[in-house]
Amino acid sequence: MVGAGVLSLPYAMSNLGWGPGVVILILSWTITFYTLWQMVEMHEMVPGKRFDRYHELGQHAFGEKLGLYIVVPQQLICEVGVDIVYMVTGGKSLQKVHDLVCKGSKPIKTTYFIMIFASVHFVLAHLPNFNSISGVSLAAAVMSLSYSTIAWSASVHKGKQPNVEYGYKATTTSGTVFDFFTALGDVAFAYAGHNVVLEIQATIPSTPERPSKGPMWRGVVIAYIVVALCYFPVALVGYYVFGNIVEDNILISLDKPTWLIVAANMFVVVHVIGSYQLYAMPVFDMIETVMVTKLHFKPSGLLRFITRNLYVAFTMFVAITFPFFGGLLGFFGGFAFAPTTYFLPCIMWLAIYKPKKFSLSWCTNWICIILGLLLMILSPIGGLRNIIKSAKHYKFYS
């Protein structure tokens, strides 16, 4: 659950300001917690049947064809988007480690670091299934806790910067508004567990007496307490210390103590290696299913080898072309995560359970849907503007 998106929260806060920032952080936490509860509940709502994939639930709610057309593109954008952002994150963290450890040496292009990071995935992409990456997931969980803690504790250690400012950085009103939109996407990106929650729940054994939602819900509650303990201190302390000059990745703003920041960046690398695979697995599954059923390829080791390597190469190429962490987060956060995390579960809930008009459930779901739709429309605008602005001064492949 704790993604690398946590590192951009202080930057999001700097574009939102204290009041709106705190409100949006709490709102996001609450809404995504509620929609995650809905997903867990809906996993086995039809007796004797389990919805192991997001699109299966979509098909049950919206019908066979429509369900696929609504959910699958959303999921794909989401999973591919995360993988692209994680390529950038991994590459930039490796670069930061190199710059801190080899001070004074010749700088190496970000492009090369992203390639180094991608090289790992050309190997890991060939692991067979979710359970074979459970070790990787455990390592990733420990890492994300560690680097979140380092991010805020190193900020506390650094202390509030002299002449720190909390006003908006943009000089024009339009700039402030667009930055605000991007920040909404940054926050949305930090809550990204919904896309794989049904796949994870599918691995838990279930009987009529002991349905899987019991242990799954306990897991979700623990995960969300941990999320709160990671996200809120990083966002608030990071913003308090650096004000509006904080980088879009808090670990890039921190330099001392060197060994600790190097460790934190290595933790990020290990974590995004694990998370990249977690999000890539469903994509591999989809690509291979389409190749075999629709395009009538023979299922073979060679087919797997080619499709998976092509996918890793594609995400690497996009990451090298647009290595803008903040802009990409804002864009994908709104465009891909807002639907699958904030309002699709609510729409499915309304379609399946049909709560009475103006009842508490009905009102809650509609509020989530409206907020989620606003997020989906506004934050990609901000994110895209950010990417275009960064690309203006950026030498491609430098």
Side-chain angles (χ1 to χ4, degrees):
M1 279 301 298
V2 180
V6 62
L7 298 172
S8 73
L9 289 178
Y11 176 70
M13 285 291 293
S14 74
N15 289 327
L16 295 168
W18 278 118
V22 173
V23 170
I24 284 163
L25 278 180
I26 295 170
L27 253 182
S28 288
W29 189 86
T30 316
I31 292 175
T32 53
F33 193 35
Y34 171 65
T35 53
L36 200 51
W37 169 78
Q38 290 181 315
M39 301 278 287
V40 172
E41 285 291 313
M42 290 191 284
H43 177 69
E44 293 178 291
M45 62 192 165
V46 177
K49 190 168 185 208
R50 296 179 74 170
F51 299 109
D52 293 346
R53 303 268 182 281
Y54 207 136
H55 66 82
E56 289 173 13
L57 190 58
Q59 285 172 301
H60 179 70
F62 308 122
E64 285 297 307
K65 269 247 163 89
L66 187 63
L68 270 183
Y69 289 137
I70 291 176
V71 178
V72 173
Q74 293 288 1
Q75 261 204 299
L76 266 177
I77 294 167
C78 205
E79 282 150 355
V80 177
V82 174
D83 282 346
I84 291 167
V85 171
Y86 280 180
M87 276 280 179
V88 176
T89 315
K92 289 209 163 171
S93 292
L94 283 175
Q95 190 177 20
K96 179 78 177 175
V97 170
H98 169 266
D99 295 349
L100 284 173
V101 176
C102 314
K103 281 199 173 92
S105 66
K106 200 167 149 242
I108 299 176
K109 291 180 180 179
T110 313
T111 303
Y112 296 149
F113 284 106
I114 295 176
M115 284 174 164
I116 294 167
F117 180 74
S119 62
V120 183
H121 295 294
F122 283 113
V123 179
L124 288 182
H126 304 290
L127 290 172
N129 59 15
F130 261 132
N131 288 338
S132 55
I133 57 170
S134 60
V136 183
S137 299
L138 176 68
V142 174
M143 296 300 151
S144 54
L145 275 175
S146 310
Y147 68 66
S148 308
T149 311
I150 292 173
W152 68 261
S153 53
S155 301
V156 170
H157 174 73
K158 188 158 184 163
K160 191 175 172 180
Q161 295 304 288
N163 61 32
V164 68
E165 285 183 18
Y166 298 117
Y168 292 121
K169 210 169 11 194
T171 43
T172 58
T173 312
S174 63
T176 307
V177 172
F178 281 124
D179 285 348
F180 191 93
F181 290 167
T182 312
L184 293 176
D186 289 349
V187 175
F189 195 96
Y191 294 96
H194 295 55
N195 289 290
V196 286
V197 67
L198 294 174
E199 275 95 341
I200 294 169
Q201 193 169 345
T203 61
I204 297 176
S206 182
T207 59
E209 298 76 48
R210 293 198 58 190
S212 63
K213 68 181 181 190
M216 185 67 186
W217 178 238
R218 281 199 296 281
V220 168
V221 172
I222 294 167
Y224 256 71
I225 291 169
V226 174
V227 162
L229 292 175
C230 286
Y231 286 14
F232 292 103
V234 173
L236 303 174
V237 173
Y239 181 42
Y240 174 75
V241 169
F242 292 103
N244 61 15
I245 54 163
V246 68
E247 290 278 347
D248 59 8
N249 174 344
I250 177 85
L251 290 179
I252 308 287
S253 290
L254 293 160
D255 286 325
K256 289 187 172 63
T258 309
W259 64 272
L260 194 62
I261 307 305
V262 167
N265 277 291
M266 280 319 293
F267 290 161
V268 173
V269 172
V270 174
H271 174 220
V272 292
I273 286 175
S275 297
Y276 180 97
Q277 289 306 321
L278 198 74
Y279 284 95
M281 284 277 171
V283 184
F284 296 151
D285 192 34
M286 248 181 250
I287 298 173
E288 283 155 24
T289 308
V290 168
M291 298 287 270
V292 172
T293 54
K294 294 273 189 290
L295 305 174
H296 309 297
F297 277 87
K298 217 169 86 207
S300 63
L302 182 67
L303 178 72
R304 275 179 64 149
F305 183 75
I306 294 171
T307 49
R308 292 181 178 208
N309 283 346
L310 279 175
Y311 174 74
V312 175
F314 166 74
T315 52
M316 178 183 81
F317 174 71
V318 178
I320 290 171
T321 312
F322 303 107
F324 314 123
F325 184 65
L328 284 172
L329 278 193
F331 181 73
F332 283 122
F335 192 57
F337 287 128
T340 51
T341 308
Y342 286 76
F343 64 85
L344 260 184
C346 297
I347 296 176
M348 290 180 188
W349 188 271
L350 290 173
I352 293 164
Y353 286 104
K354 301 187 174 56
K356 226 168 71 207
K357 256 191 187 170
F358 305 113
S359 63
L360 181 65
S361 167
W362 189 87
C363 293
T364 313
N365 284 309
W366 273 109
I367 291 167
C368 292
I369 291 167
I370 291 161
L371 290 174
L373 272 170
L374 283 172
L375 181 67
M376 180 187 159
I377 296 161
L378 299 177
S379 60
I381 299 171
L384 200 58
R385 174 181 172 271
N386 231 355
I387 293 171
I388 294 166
K389 231 173 71 182
S390 309
K392 254 194 207 152
H393 313 292
Y394 176 71
K395 281 202 185 81
F396 282 98
Y397 310 111
S398 66

